[in-house]
Amino acid sequence: MTVSFRWGAATHEGTVRDQNEDAFAAQEGLFLVADGMGGHQAGEVAAALAIAALTEHLGEITDIDDVVALVRRANDHILDESRNDHSRQGMGTTLTGLVLIHPVDGDEPVLGVVNVGDSRTYRLRHGELRRLTVDHSYVQELVTDGLITADEARFHPRRNIVTRALGIEDPLDVDGWTLPAVRGDRFLICSDGLVDEVPEPEIRDVVTGVADPQQAAEQLVDMALRHGGRDNVTVVVVDVAEGMDPAADREELVAEMGADPHWADGAPDPTWSEDMPPAEAEAVAATDPAADVAHETVAESPDVPSVAPDHVTPETTGAPAPKRRRGRLAGFLFWLLVVAILAGAFVIVAAYARSGYFVDFTDDERVMIYKGRPDGVLWFDPTEANPTTLRRASLDESSVALVESRPTFSSLDAAAEFVTGLSTTTTTTTTTPPTTTVAPTTAPPRTTVPGPTAGTTVP
Ligand code: MG
């Protein structure tokens, strides 16, 4: 089977920013968008490194694991550059898109989808535009939890907080899976500069209505600018010109593929939803482990019986002596069990209450790293673990908001790294250069929360 593409691409720095830190690749078999962050051109460098990692090694890719490995290698490269060059400290980038994979065993070529961060890949089929990638962002977690709608996320003051990006954490968690290359499918790959500005129905109108992919890409960028253009905007539109015949249903596709498409980590593909009604697909997306990054689920406290259950002791039954002895033994064992459960529950609650760290303001407005849980657990209150030199007054608005959200971390190091990354309105509050970068614009800065918080682990 031959697979070929038609494509178009457009990018613009927007109406507010004076630099374009987005980057893209659009060549036969490789279509990517990267949204760099870091200021002083560092974001541009990070985005370019991410794109180059795949363009330079495209010929080596024979399965999705290769794609994931290349993205991780790019992550290492960006982290190295970041450590070695002070002007590039804290740079990072998102990365999403499509890679045509030619398996070595002679199987049909497939499309690899890759995603880290909040740039997006959509697929249009039968007139339906469906998002393939799950954003790794703070607002996506709110959407997943049902706290805000996807449309409200576009205007949320913290919409620029990404929970995963290249250049931020090591090892990097990469979403990667494969799809069949179906003739007639169209893909839209874009930075958040498009989706934060333009409502999805308007995007769909252009993607479905404009046949030429280059014209479609340019029109979408123009729309983003007309809607405000607060951010860099990049759009790649890809048509599968030759490929597998369009299938009538999912079963047929699965039969042709030999198996369901899969994630690189072996988990089921949450976006494989050809025939799912939207509600069901949403439910699957909501359980996607990828959507749970940095999302802390509070463990249920074990059920602790506060009163003895209905239990009739032998004493109350007037049973004969031998049975009474057995009854006493049973009663003793029962209470022993209750005591053991209570003791176990105490240990678990205590360990849970004292696990993890979070950052908050003290009563006198200093930034403090606390040990424990933000609101305490039962009679275990959090304690001050590590004071910082930062004060509320020295932080910029977005950093104040970040601290007020009382983010949690699995380690003191991770919490300290977060504090180091807070942006200040002055230049002398920290000795370590910040990892959070304020872009020279009126739009909120893109920031990252380091690493997924394994908040429920007990040390
Ligand atoms: Mg952006």
Side-chain angles (χ1 to χ4, degrees), residues 209-264:
V210 181
D212 180 65
Q214 182 60 37
Q215 279 182 19
E218 289 173 7
Q219 282 194 25
L220 287 168
V221 168
D222 286 347
M223 275 173 98
L225 298 178
R226 282 203 304 276
H227 276 81
R230 295 166 295 172
D231 194 3
N232 305 151
V233 54
T234 300
V235 175
V236 177
V237 176
V238 186
D239 290 335
V240 182
E242 292 175 282
M244 184 184 286
D245 288 337
D249 59 36
R250 178 175 183 276
E251 279 64 37
E252 191 184 327
L253 264 180
V254 170
E256 287 198 51
M257 290 290 293
D260 272 2
H262 65 281
W263 291 82

Side-chain angles (χ1 to χ4, degrees), residues 362-434:
T362 59
D363 289 341
D364 61 348
E365 307 293 23
R366 286 174 301 133
V367 177
M368 176 66 70
I369 299 173
Y370 290 92
K371 181 167 176 54
R373 299 281 140 187
D375 292 311
V377 178
L378 298 179
W379 52 92
F380 297 100
D381 288 323
T383 53
E384 295 185 350
N386 199 7
T388 75
T389 56
L390 294 175
R391 308 189 71 86
R392 179 189 286 267
S394 64
L395 296 179
D396 66 22
E397 201 179 312
S398 67
S399 291
V400 168
L402 275 173
V403 175
E404 284 181 340
S405 74
R406 302 201 290 179
T408 58
F409 304 90
S410 57
S411 70
L412 183 59
D413 281 352
E417 195 179 337
F418 165 81
V419 170
T420 305
L422 292 172
S423 293
T424 59
T425 51
T426 61
T427 55
T428 55
T429 44
T430 58
T431 54
T432 313

Side-chain angles (χ1 to χ4, degrees), residues 88-428:
R88 293 175 179 174
Q89 239 167 11
M91 70 176 174
T93 185
T94 72
L95 183 68
T96 191
L98 300 172
V99 185
L100 181 64
I101 297 171
H102 294 279
V104 279
D105 54 13
D107 281 354
E108 299 290 9
V110 292
L111 290 174
V113 184
V114 67
N115 185 51
V116 177
D118 66 352
S119 298
R120 291 181 179 178
T121 299
Y122 291 82
R123 190 204 57 201
L124 178 76
R125 178 181 291 173
H126 305 316
E128 188 186 5
L129 186 68
R130 171 159 269 162
R131 176 147 62 100
L132 289 170
T133 50
V134 177
D135 292 351
H136 305 129
S137 67
Y138 175 70
V139 290
Q140 173 65 49
E141 290 172 11
L142 298 182
V143 172
T144 303
D145 289 346
L147 298 174
I148 61 172
T149 66
D151 213 46
E152 286 166 348
R154 295 173 44 231
F155 301 100
H156 196 281
R158 296 183 202 167
R159 69 182 182 281
N160 282 5
I161 298 176
V162 293
T163 49
R164 262 201 246 169
L166 282 81
I168 304 302
E169 61 187 6
D170 186 26
L172 177 68
D173 225 356
V174 179
D175 291 349
W177 67 103
T178 58
L179 292 174
V182 178
R183 175 167 45 80
D185 278 358
R186 167 171 275 195
F187 292 90
L188 164 68
I189 308 162
C190 60
S191 60
D192 63 341
L194 175 69
V195 295
D196 282 349
E197 296 293 11
V198 186
E200 241 169 53
E202 292 183 41
I203 294 174
R204 189 188 309 121
D205 286 347
V206 174
V207 176
T208 55
V210 181
D212 180 65
Q214 182 60 37
Q215 279 182 19
E218 289 173 7
Q219 282 194 25
L220 287 168
V221 168
D222 286 347
M223 275 173 98
L225 298 178
R226 282 203 304 276
H227 276 81
R230 295 166 295 172
D231 194 3
N232 305 151
V233 54
T234 300
V235 175
V236 177
V237 176
V238 186
D239 290 335
V240 182
E242 292 175 282
M244 184 184 286
D245 288 337
D249 59 36
R250 178 175 183 276
E251 279 64 37
E252 191 184 327
L253 264 180
V254 170
E256 287 198 51
M257 290 290 293
D260 272 2
H262 65 281
W263 291 82
D265 62 9
D269 175 6
T271 56
W272 178 258
S273 49
E274 311 295 329
D275 299 308
M276 278 187 205
E280 192 182 343
E282 287 294 313
V284 172
T287 59
D288 165 28
D292 282 343
V293 171
H295 173 67
E296 186 181 356
T297 50
V298 177
E300 295 282 328
S301 296
D303 289 335
V304 180
S306 54
V307 293
D310 293 340
H311 186 84
V312 182
T313 62
E315 285 79 359
T316 61
T317 63
K323 285 186 181 172
R324 284 178 67 98
R325 270 200 298 277
R326 275 206 301 276
R328 283 201 188 105
L329 183 63
F332 172 74
L333 289 175
F334 168 76
W335 286 110
L336 193 65
L337 186 65
V338 169
V339 169
I341 289 172
L342 286 170
F346 178 86
V347 169
I348 290 169
V349 170
Y352 171 73
R354 296 297 298 152
S355 68
Y357 296 83
F358 67 97
V359 177
D360 197 359
F361 289 112
T362 59
D363 289 341
D364 61 348
E365 307 293 23
R366 286 174 301 133
V367 177
M368 176 66 70
I369 299 173
Y370 290 92
K371 181 167 176 54
R373 299 281 140 187
D375 292 311
V377 178
L378 298 179
W379 52 92
F380 297 100
D381 288 323
T383 53
E384 295 185 350
N386 199 7
T388 75
T389 56
L390 294 175
R391 308 189 71 86
R392 179 189 286 267
S394 64
L395 296 179
D396 66 22
E397 201 179 312
S398 67
S399 291
V400 168
L402 275 173
V403 175
E404 284 181 340
S405 74
R406 302 201 290 179
T408 58
F409 304 90
S410 57
S411 70
L412 183 59
D413 281 352
E417 195 179 337
F418 165 81
V419 170
T420 305
L422 292 172
S423 293
T424 59
T425 51
T426 61
T427 55
T428 55

